[in-house]
Amino acid sequence: MLRLGVIIGVIALLGTALSGLAAYRVHDQELAIDRIALARAIDVHASLVQDRLTERELLARVASGLFRAPSVIKANMLEPLRSSIYAFKTDFVVAAWIARLRPGELPVAQAELRQAGFPNPTIRNYDGTPLGPNIDRSLDVLMDLEPRNAETSKLPGAALDRQPIVGPMLARAMAEGKPVASDPTPLLRGDGPIGIVLAAPVVPQGATAPAGFVTFSYEIGPLLLTNDDLSLFSVALKDPRNASDELVANDQGAVTSRTRGPDDPAPSSTRTVAFGNHDWSLVYYAKSNAVRRAQQTAAIV
């Protein structure tokens, strides 16, 4: 009986050791498979986002190259481009023509806005206040936009060179001579959807300085944060205005900002995409805990 007990004990120990080894291997395999699947899904998402951004930057470059009018002080500069713009991509919020005007050109520009039928043709500061009597600088004035509706038609005539977000973007686009993206900003109004404005300088043939800018505004949600409900991760955009903040989209696509604390879970991965001569960081968080899932599977084994 003692010998039989010893044999049974040895077999039990051997079975336990083999089961433990099998559980260990299953744990490692499950963990590796989950990590590979997550990394592959993240790579695919980041690649699709980059393709989408490249297409929209190409649209801005093409649109800026199509301007051939002898005068840029017009309130219908986008008229020849409307069919082309909508044939290419239609997910922008607003496409706009911003003319760079010298002080002596302001009366002509104001007359153009009045003739075009905009409700407020007076050239004014971006916040609606009057310009003042003595203007000694060039102004970046919104002269035309698409689509035209009751909300957007109120915007032409605004001088944007001193607008906190758009102004620096236009100055950088003028200095670098290439499309430049703004920091995230509300679109159309102060409480509007958070988006990004892409500005492409328009340099007439034979000129050395831009005569104005073609701009396209996009919501951040569909541009950068689109995601499948069944995906393995959720995605956020690291806010370039504040390193500790992230921009996230809810199920309806509305984008809000959140501040990360020291106790928040670390991201699973980070990817960088380029848009408007600017690098944007996409932060990915796994929806399921791969380590816990691997441990549960190993325990079953």
Side-chain angles (χ1 to χ4, degrees):
M1 291 298 293
L2 178 61
R3 183 179 297 177
L4 179 61
V6 171
I7 293 173
I8 293 174
V10 170
I11 293 175
L13 291 174
L14 182 61
T16 302
L18 291 175
S19 297
L21 179 61
Y24 177 78
R25 293 192 61 184
V26 167
H27 174 274
D28 283 357
Q29 289 175 351
E30 285 290 324
L31 196 58
I33 291 172
D34 283 350
R35 287 174 175 171
I36 291 172
L38 178 62
R40 184 175 300 172
I42 289 173
D43 286 340
V44 169
H45 181 272
S47 178
L48 292 174
V49 170
Q50 184 61 76
D51 290 344
R52 187 158 56 242
L53 297 176
T54 301
E55 289 176 350
R56 277 119 191 106
E57 190 165 333
L58 177 61
L59 170 61
R61 290 181 181 272
V62 171
S64 66
L66 292 178
F67 279 86
R68 292 292 182 269
S71 173
V72 296
I73 312 176
K74 292 186 176 182
N76 63 345
M77 286 291 288
L78 294 180
E79 185 64 37
L81 304 181
R82 282 187 169 92
S83 59
S84 300
I85 289 173
Y86 279 109
F88 194 83
K89 289 294 175 186
T90 59
D91 60 347
F92 58 83
V93 178
V94 174
W97 163 245
I98 300 174
R100 188 162 181 79
L101 305 178
R102 295 185 294 272
E105 296 172 325
L106 298 182
V108 178
Q110 191 162 292
E112 283 285 335
L113 292 171
R114 185 178 296 107
Q115 185 177 355
F118 289 114
N120 186 4
T122 303
I123 297 179
R124 57 204 182 275
N125 288 317
Y126 71 93
D127 56 1
T129 59
L131 288 175
N134 300 317
I135 302 172
D136 57 357
R137 70 185 193 279
S138 294
L139 301 178
D140 298 322
V141 180
L142 178 59
M143 293 292 295
D144 191 14
L145 44 67
E146 180 68 29
R148 292 189 183 185
N149 52 44
E151 184 174 25
T152 61
S153 294
K154 302 174 184 177
L155 302 177
L160 303 174
D161 53 301
R162 294 189 174 179
Q163 205 274 349
I165 299 295
V166 176
M169 173 198 65
L170 298 178
R172 187 179 168 198
M174 181 175 62
E176 299 179 3
K178 61 180 68 174
V180 170
S182 72
D183 284 341
T185 182
L187 302 178
L188 298 177
R189 57 190 182 278
D191 60 347
I194 298 178
I196 296 173
V197 183
L198 180 68
V202 175
V203 182
Q205 190 171 5
T208 57
F213 308 89
V214 177
T215 69
F216 292 89
S217 303
Y218 299 95
E219 289 189 42
I220 284 181
L223 185 68
L224 293 166
L225 304 178
T226 52
N227 202 15
D228 195 321
D229 290 339
L230 301 178
S231 68
L232 302 175
F233 56 82
S234 60
V235 59
L237 173 67
K238 188 173 292 185
D239 194 337
R241 300 166 298 182
N242 190 336
S244 63
D245 289 353
E246 293 176 348
L247 299 171
V248 294
N250 61 18
D251 296 337
Q252 289 73 40
V255 175
T256 56
S257 177
R258 69 184 181 194
T259 300
R260 291 192 50 76
D263 298 331
D264 292 334
S268 303
S269 185
T270 301
R271 294 291 187 273
T272 300
V273 293
F275 182 57
N277 206 23
H278 184 86
D279 289 338
W280 305 85
S281 296
L282 295 176
V283 185
Y284 295 88
Y285 296 91
K287 288 183 177 179
S288 61
N289 190 322
V291 175
R292 184 178 302 169
R293 179 180 173 183
Q295 290 173 346
Q296 291 173 345
T297 305
I300 294 173
V301 172

